[in-house]
Amino acid sequence: MTLAPEALGPTVTVGEILVEIMATTVGEGFLAPQTLIGPFPSGAPAIFIDQVARIGGACGIVAVVGNDDFGRLNVGRLKTDGVDVSAVAVSADKPTGSAFVRYRTDGSRDFVYNIKHSAAGEVTTTEAAQALFSRAGHVHVMGSAFAIAGLWSILVEAVSIVKARGGSVSFDPNIRKELVQGGDGRKLIDDMIAVTDLLLPSGDELLVAAGETTEAAAVERLLDLGVGEIVLKRGSEGSTHFSKAFGRVDCAAFRVEEIDPTGAGDCFGAAYLTSRRAGLPPQSALLYANAAGARTVTKQGPMEGVSSKAELDQFIAAAGREEQA
């Protein structure tokens, strides 16, 4: 199935909204007092949907925040950028989710999360959520949803409603091998793959999703299972589209000075999906996606580098790459 056009309805997602607070020094963990910077609006689904809005797509999110400044910060940013926040509920007694982050010398990160016991863990299917699902044209699922109790059943409902009206589904797996070693974990992935029209893996996530050991075998199996498009995020090596309709399409990465990599994959996926839903071919969508991911990492904070289409056009032109309409 091709991705549903913008005219069918907005792109929607379900999941965690957080604030992110970062250490200002590189090192190991949080075992000593140190200077921090933040709070920044964050949460993978929130970053994704914000980029959808900024690049020009109609969109909304189902989530819960606390009745606190962290929640107001996030909802204010999303609303200002054009996201439908009508299905963002406010918890009466739980704080907005949070993530404290410190980068290690090798580029990896230490996290201290509060998600499960925060407002982010209280997402339910409200009347506002059902109203959003009933007019949506596309559902985007983040792998992080598997870690929040109750979210899977909400996503199943959203997918069922949107698919019934001719909509489509994308899946950014963000999964580890450990998740799929047990029978329940593998079944979750297989059930998700069965309804996915666009798969957006990074690196070995492609192999884990397919249950294969080589890229070629994984791509073949997933396309045979009915996934319409696979877009593999290769980081500094660019990205690749695979489909039966277009074959393999590669797009080189942009070279930038990385300041903060958080959110790059989310912005990449949002730019690609929204470009495709707007009718652009894979090569053009990959170009915008690579540009969105690259621009994001040049700013401190997960949403601070989220880009409009005009900003992406300027970025592409400045890099000496050809704009593709």
Side-chain angles (χ1 to χ4, degrees), residues 64-68 70 91 93-98 114-115 117-120:
V64 183
V65 298
N67 184 19
D68 51 38
F70 290 168
S91 172
D93 56 2
K94 294 283 183 70
T96 299
S98 60
N114 177 24
I115 298 178
H117 300 292
S118 75

Side-chain angles (χ1 to χ4, degrees), residues 58-168:
C59 59
I61 185 171
V62 176
V64 183
V65 298
N67 184 19
D68 51 38
D69 283 349
F70 290 168
R72 286 183 278 275
L73 170 71
N74 270 286
V75 174
R77 168 65 65 86
L78 293 170
K79 187 175 182 179
T80 297
D81 285 350
V83 177
D84 183 339
V85 296
S86 61
V88 177
V90 178
S91 172
D93 56 2
K94 294 283 183 70
T96 299
S98 60
F100 288 77
V101 187
R102 191 178 193 194
Y103 289 94
R104 300 173 181 156
T105 54
D106 64 359
S108 61
R109 293 171 286 180
D110 286 318
F111 291 97
V112 177
Y113 283 117
N114 177 24
I115 298 178
K116 182 179 179 180
H117 300 292
S118 75
E122 293 195 334
V123 181
T124 58
T125 305
T126 61
E127 288 186 8
Q130 289 179 324
L132 185 59
F133 296 153
S134 69
R135 58 187 180 81
H138 184 91
V139 178
H140 180 70
V141 178
M142 312 292 297
S144 57
F146 297 139
I148 302 177
L151 225 57
W152 176 246
S153 61
I154 301 170
L155 286 164
V156 168
E157 179 180 2
V159 168
S160 176
I161 292 171
V162 173
K163 283 277 192 176
R165 60 190 308 267
S168 50

Side-chain angles (χ1 to χ4, degrees), residues 11 47-53 55 140 172 200 264-276 289 292:
T11 294
I47 300 166
F48 172 89
I49 211 69
D50 197 69
Q51 178 60 84
V52 172
I55 202 173
H140 180 70
D172 188 332
L200 291 156
D266 304 317
C267 288
F268 174 99
Y272 181 86
L273 169 68
T274 309
S275 296
R276 291 288 286 135

